[in-house]
Every structure is written in structure tokens, then in C-alpha cells.
Amino acid sequence: MEQDVFLGDSPVRIVAIGAGNRTNKYLEYVRMHPDRLQLVGVVEVNANRMQRIAEEFKLDSNHCFADYNDFFAHPFPADAVLIATPENLHYDPCIKAIEAGYHVLLEKPIAQTLEECNDIAVRAQRKGVLVGVCHVLRYHPYFMKIKEIVDSGELGAVISINHTASVGLDRSLHGFVRGLWSKEENTNPMLIAKCCHDIDLLLWLTRTPCKRLTSFGSLRWFRSENAPMNSSDRCINCHIEAKCPYSAVDLYYNRRDWISNFDIPEGRTLNEVLLEELRHGRYGRCVFHCDNDVVDHQILSMEMESGVTVNFSMDIFTSDDCRETHVKLTHGEIDGNELRLRVRKFRDNEERVFDFSHISKKPFHAGADLKLVDDFVKALSCKEHKLRTSIENSVESHRICYEAERSRLTGKTIELGSYS
């Protein structure tokens, strides 16, 4: 190992590669704790975003780059990089960062293939740098409570888990039909792009590798042959828009939902930007006339080496954007929907209820984003601190997702052996 992970008591100096929505969430930790983490550079192709970050954090102009290759070609003192670029731009900058000796906080998913994921893990171990993956569910108070109860042993051993990810129609239309995650070649299969969080959570709860799995799903609805008769290819010009549940006009212009990624150049208004997008941009397209190819529903069944069985379901046709989990154990059960968690013991029918509704709408995933960054900083500052979402832990969840996609496409049950 060429580098000791331990950095001591000095603030960790980090460079952000990508300055979009997720980066801004993680940078809140810098705003709150400048004595622990300092932003010293930024890489961002969007000039407006780069300027905004540079001005807020008073960055030297020589530490601001439009291309990450320029950053690596002109190094300056820094300890780590945060990579929150589009998914097809995770692997290359991550490898370059590792080889340059930087620690890495990497937005999920890790990369676009299992081979790339594993390569990052191997190179990080060889170079002696820490790579953390942003699986925020492990830091969310609701899921941490489930983990605490399971690990306590008070309800016995886990027998099975049912877990549902209701992605929500608005989120799905924005991200996975019209948006940047709509095509596998540009990002990843849906299970990786959206639900590797969930698979990581299930592995965290069961604490055992997957033995075999099978998966089914498809792009069932948002296809050109399902377009309503006489519909337009753009919502703003469509005579049925007023009654369509998938209207971009309603989502963005009327309700003002999912608009945080629309940049407003100086001298223009939000209304002008939205109307321009509806008339000419990707987010104004009819959902039946997009180039999307990711699935809109998928199920995954796993048998773990411990004998635990896990059923996971992902669906976009829901009003709510939430997760529901039901853990069955030998002496009781746990079930909840992120707002309310119920714990029941079989003996005497004892029941406890934990209310999380008061934190459900709190920013930064109820503080989980900030706890994740704090964990990364502590792992770099204390020899004894072990990062909860290290690359070594994360690769297995990605492996399961990629194998689930192979099962979905081939119709086969996949037997999992050790991967190397």
C-alpha cells in the first residue's frame, strides 16, 4: 500500500467532479463543518454551475476545470475527490483519481459493468486509498432502526424479507422516461441505476451473500404503440394534454415539480426556461414518443446462503415515492413504509410503533446525506473508524443487480459463485 488512509486532525480537502444536484447536497456538509471538510476545487462542464460553486466557496480560478482530464493533468494539494457525474462518467475519473492517490467518495452506481466495479475495488486496495460509495439508506434513521432491531436478536433469526421500491410516477417520468436515465447504454439498467441502494440495504440486513436469483420485468407501457390516438409528440402541442396523467406541462409548468435541474441563465426567468424546455427540450416530449428503453417494472427473488429468502419489487406506477419493507423473523416481524415502523413479537402479541413521519420530508434524505459524508471524513481522519459503505461492501450489491438483469433477459435462474 502506497498511502496511509489516516489523515489526522486537519480538515479533509476535497475536489468535486460534477456540480449537479447530488454534489450540492453533499456540499452542505462543507458549509456546516468547514473545520472538517473543505472544498478546494471543482470540475464541471456547465459554466453556470461551475461559477456558482466557485463563488460560494471562494475557489481559486486555477482550481476550476471544465474537463476532469485537465484537473488530473494539473494537480494541486487535495486529499479526496467527490465524483457525482453522470453514470457513464464514473469509471474513468474514479480510476484516474485512484491512480493519482486520491481517496474517493463515489455517487452510486459505481460504474456501468461489473468488471468496471470490481476493477475500481481492486485498484483502490492495491493503491491503498479509500473509496466510499454513496449508499445513503445505510445512514437513514428509519432503515438504521430496522437494522438495529434485526441485529439485536430480540426477534430471533431472519426467515424472509419482502421489500418494495415504489419509484413514483413523477420521478420516473422525469428521470427514467424523458430524462438522463432513460437509456441503458448511457447509464445502466433500471435495477442498477435506481435500486442498487435497495439491494445494498437487503444485503446489509441479511448479512449473507446471495446464493441464487431470478428476475422478471419489462418496458410495458411507455412505448410508441401505446400512445393515445392523435396524440402529439410534445405535451405543449397536444390536444389531450389537459387530461393526460403524464403531462410535462402539468408536472413542470403548472405544479413546478422536478425543476431543480433546470439552470436559469442570467437575464432569463424560470417561466422562459420552462417554456423553452417544453417546446424544444427532452423534458417536453410525450412519454410515448421518447427513446427510453429501461424497464418500468421488475421483480427479483433471491435465496441467500443462510437460507433467507428475499423478494424485491420495483414499480414506477405509484402515486407515492417510497419504500415498504416487511421482515419476518422467528420470534416476530417488522414492517413499515418509511413513515411508520411496526415491530410485533409473537409471544403475547406485543407491539411497538416508531413514528418517522416528522423526518420524512426533511432535506438531505432526513440527514442521511450528511451522515454519509461525515462517515467518509471520519474514516479518513481516524485509523480505527471503518467506513460503512466501502467499495468492498458495495460491489456485491451491484453484482446482484447485473446478474438479475442477465436473469431477466435470459429467463434463467442464476447460480452465484464467488466473484474475482
Side-chain angles (χ1 to χ4, degrees):
M1 293 175 61
E2 298 185 12
Q3 178 172 328
D4 190 344
V5 171
F6 177 63
L7 299 178
D9 296 329
S10 300
V12 174
R13 300 164 298 177
I14 198 165
V15 175
I17 301 181
N21 179 57
R22 292 308 300 155
T23 291
N24 275 288
K25 294 291 192 295
Y26 299 132
L27 289 184
E28 184 65 17
Y29 187 91
V30 179
R31 300 178 184 103
M32 295 173 63
H33 304 290
D35 58 322
R36 303 178 199 169
L37 184 65
Q38 295 178 353
L39 183 70
V40 295
V42 63
V43 180
E44 173 55 56
V45 67
N46 184 302
N48 290 328
R49 294 181 182 181
M50 181 199 293
Q51 181 179 359
R52 191 160 56 241
I53 292 292
E55 289 178 353
E56 178 183 357
F57 292 95
K58 298 178 173 55
L59 301 180
D60 190 306
S61 60
N62 293 326
H63 293 179
C64 300
F65 305 88
D67 188 319
Y68 64 80
N69 288 303
D70 291 336
F71 160 63
F72 290 115
H74 301 86
F76 54 87
D79 305 304
V81 298
L82 163 64
I83 299 177
T85 50
E87 291 171 34
N88 62 338
L89 293 174
H90 279 194
Y91 175 72
D92 189 54
C94 188
I95 290 297
K96 285 181 167 64
I98 291 170
E99 294 304 317
Y102 295 108
H103 306 291
V104 181
L105 184 58
L106 178 62
E107 181 57 270
K108 66 87 183 168
I110 299 170
Q112 285 190 290
T113 68
L114 179 57
E115 289 71 26
E116 288 179 347
C117 295
N118 194 58
D119 189 38
I120 288 174
V122 169
R123 290 180 186 238
Q125 195 279 332
R126 184 185 302 151
K127 194 72 176 180
V129 298
L130 183 68
V131 175
V133 181
C134 297
H135 284 305
V136 298
L137 296 188
R138 292 197 184 204
Y139 300 89
H140 193 288
Y142 169 84
F143 294 106
M144 289 176 66
K145 176 57 71 173
I146 296 177
K147 174 69 170 173
E148 174 190 320
I149 296 167
V150 169
D151 286 355
S152 73
E154 64 176 284
L155 298 180
V158 176
I159 298 297
S160 66
I161 301 177
N162 288 343
H163 182 74
T164 300
S166 298
V167 181
L169 190 62
D170 288 350
R171 175 190 290 272
S172 301
L173 298 180
H174 176 74
F176 300 101
V177 180
R178 297 185 178 104
L180 300 179
W181 295 270
S182 61
K183 291 185 70 65
E184 288 187 10
E185 67 176 329
N186 297 332
T187 55
N188 262 304
M190 181 71 158
L191 210 61
I192 281 277
K194 182 66 181 78
C195 300
C196 63
H197 274 332
D198 299 272
I199 305 307
D200 176 75
L201 170 70
L202 294 168
L203 289 173
W204 191 44
L205 292 177
T206 58
R207 296 181 295 178
T208 181
C210 179
K211 181 179 180 181
R212 61 172 63 92
L213 61 80
T214 185
S215 184
F216 304 94
S218 67
L219 174 56
R220 166 70 177 82
W221 187 238
F222 294 120
R223 306 160 62 99
S224 58
E225 59 266 31
N226 293 325
M229 187 176 297
N230 300 321
S231 59
S232 170
D233 61 353
R234 286 199 168 268
C235 297
I236 200 168
N237 302 320
C238 186
H239 75 282
I240 66 170
E241 180 274 324
K243 296 182 179 180
C244 180
Y246 317 126
S247 166
V249 176
D250 183 54
L251 178 63
Y252 301 120
Y253 196 82
N254 296 343
R255 290 191 275 138
R256 293 297 205 260
D257 284 339
W258 293 96
I259 61 173
S260 61
N261 66 319
F262 296 147
D263 293 305
I264 306 173
E266 187 174 351
R268 301 194 67 189
T269 67
L270 175 59
N271 278 354
E272 290 173 339
V273 169
L274 292 178
L275 288 172
E276 178 72 13
E277 185 67 33
L278 291 170
R279 292 184 180 116
H280 305 292
R282 68 182 302 141
Y283 295 100
R285 297 177 296 169
C286 170
V287 290
F288 297 103
H289 297 292
C290 293
D291 56 352
N292 56 303
D293 61 13
V294 299
V295 302
D296 54 26
H297 66 295
Q298 187 168 357
I299 58 174
L300 165 64
S301 293
M302 296 183 283
E303 181 184 8
M304 314 307 282
E305 288 188 0
S306 62
V308 172
T309 55
V310 178
N311 284 304
F312 169 73
S313 176
M314 182 283 303
D315 207 314
I316 75 171
F317 294 94
T318 61
S319 297
D320 295 327
D321 174 4
C322 68
R323 293 174 169 92
E324 296 175 278
T325 308
H326 193 175
V327 186
K328 279 83 75 175
L329 305 98
T330 55
H331 290 70
E333 58 185 325
I334 308 167
D335 65 276
N337 61 358
E338 295 190 73
L339 299 176
R340 181 174 177 269
L341 187 66
R342 182 174 59 171
V343 180
R344 292 187 287 179
K345 287 185 177 181
F346 297 144
R347 178 73 185 201
D348 300 324
N349 204 28
E350 179 185 333
E351 180 176 308
R352 286 177 291 159
V353 175
F354 298 91
D355 185 5
F356 291 89
S357 59
H358 62 291
I359 67 167
S360 63
K361 300 299 182 183
K362 284 190 174 182
F364 312 109
H365 290 105
D369 294 338
L370 306 181
K371 290 178 182 177
L372 183 152
V373 178
D374 187 64
D375 196 32
F376 181 72
V377 170
K378 286 178 178 176
L380 295 182
S381 303
C382 177
K383 287 182 178 180
E384 289 74 30
H385 189 86
K386 301 299 180 183
L387 182 64
R388 193 178 299 172
T389 57
S390 66
I391 184 70
E392 294 81 8
N393 291 332
S394 186
V395 165
E396 184 64 11
S397 63
H398 286 59
R399 178 193 180 197
I400 289 172
C401 290
Y402 285 119
E403 293 290 22
E405 186 67 3
R406 182 158 70 99
S407 173
R408 184 184 75 84
L409 294 173
T410 64
K412 296 179 180 179
T413 295
I414 306 299
E415 301 282 344
L416 277 73
S418 61
Y419 182 83
S420 60

